[in-house]
Amino acid sequence: MATVLTYKRKSDTQFVLDNLNKIIREQSHKDTSRTKKVDNEAFIFGGYVRDTLRSTPYTDMDICIPNNFVAQQFIEFLNDAGRLIETIIYKSKYSLYTIVIETPCTPRLSIDLVEQNRFQINCDFTANNLIMKADGSINTRIPYCKISPDNNS
């Protein structure tokens, strides 16, 4: 008689952020000069977080990473795992790399990997201010601050 084992698939968020954060942790142990002065954790921002809150389908993920080296290592990992479909390298207001990958749940997911220093310079107060960490917690990148009625300037 055969035994059937069932495994829970990781969500897109878990698959992407767990693997990115593993690369970041490994990098920080090897070379502290690359990861100091930046957050040592990848996070999703923008429309994906908004769509998750609204329970609407998402089309892509925008992910903030500490540096270019993390993007290169992630792309190499995905390629070695047979999950990389397409890579576009360009520099614009936000993106460093746009990749299309296969996750355990989604056959074709587009991801923009954005280097942290670019994200900090170009963040606005729309959906791009929303962030999601690997544990699923949702927050804002730029904290809410209360404006006093006495200070209208």
Side-chain angles (χ1 to χ4, degrees):
M1 177 169 224
T3 302
V4 176
L5 301 175
T6 307
Y7 299 96
K8 182 181 177 196
R9 290 183 182 198
K10 285 187 171 189
S11 70
D12 291 342
T13 304
Q14 290 172 319
F15 175 78
V16 172
L17 291 182
D18 286 355
N19 285 301
L20 276 168
N21 287 326
K22 180 180 176 188
I23 291 167
I24 293 166
R25 282 191 304 276
E26 290 170 357
Q27 177 189 1
S28 67
H29 292 308
K30 292 178 186 174
D31 185 0
T32 57
S33 66
R34 288 185 199 257
T35 55
K36 65 184 175 183
K37 298 181 185 174
V38 295
D39 290 334
N40 288 328
E41 185 178 33
F43 59 85
I44 300 169
F45 67 95
Y48 177 88
V49 183
R50 177 203 59 223
D51 294 343
T52 299
L53 289 169
R54 295 168 70 191
S55 298
T56 58
Y58 54 88
T59 57
D60 69 336
M61 284 185 186
D62 300 308
I63 302 177
C64 184
I65 55 173
N67 54 51
N68 187 24
F69 181 77
V70 171
Q72 293 170 353
Q73 292 295 304
F74 186 56
I75 290 168
E76 186 177 309
F77 159 76
L78 292 167
N79 188 52
D80 292 347
R83 294 193 176 271
L84 185 63
I85 298 170
E86 185 179 309
T87 303
I88 302 168
I89 304 168
Y90 62 94
K91 298 189 180 201
S92 69
K93 183 177 177 183
Y94 286 114
S95 295
L96 179 62
Y97 294 94
T98 295
I99 59 176
V100 179
I101 68 169
E102 176 186 3
T103 72
C105 296
T106 305
R108 195 169 173 85
L109 177 64
S110 178
I111 298 175
D112 289 337
L113 297 172
V114 181
E115 199 170 10
Q116 188 179 27
N117 61 359
R118 290 173 188 255
F119 177 70
Q120 290 173 335
I121 292 167
N122 295 306
C123 185
D124 55 32
F125 291 93
T126 62
N128 289 332
N129 192 35
L130 295 171
I131 65 171
M132 179 184 289
K133 300 278 185 151
D135 64 3
S137 62
I138 296 175
N139 209 329
T140 57
R141 190 187 69 74
I142 300 172
Y144 164 81
C145 61
K146 185 175 181 181
I147 299 173
S148 166
D150 299 335
N151 185 8
N152 292 329
S153 53

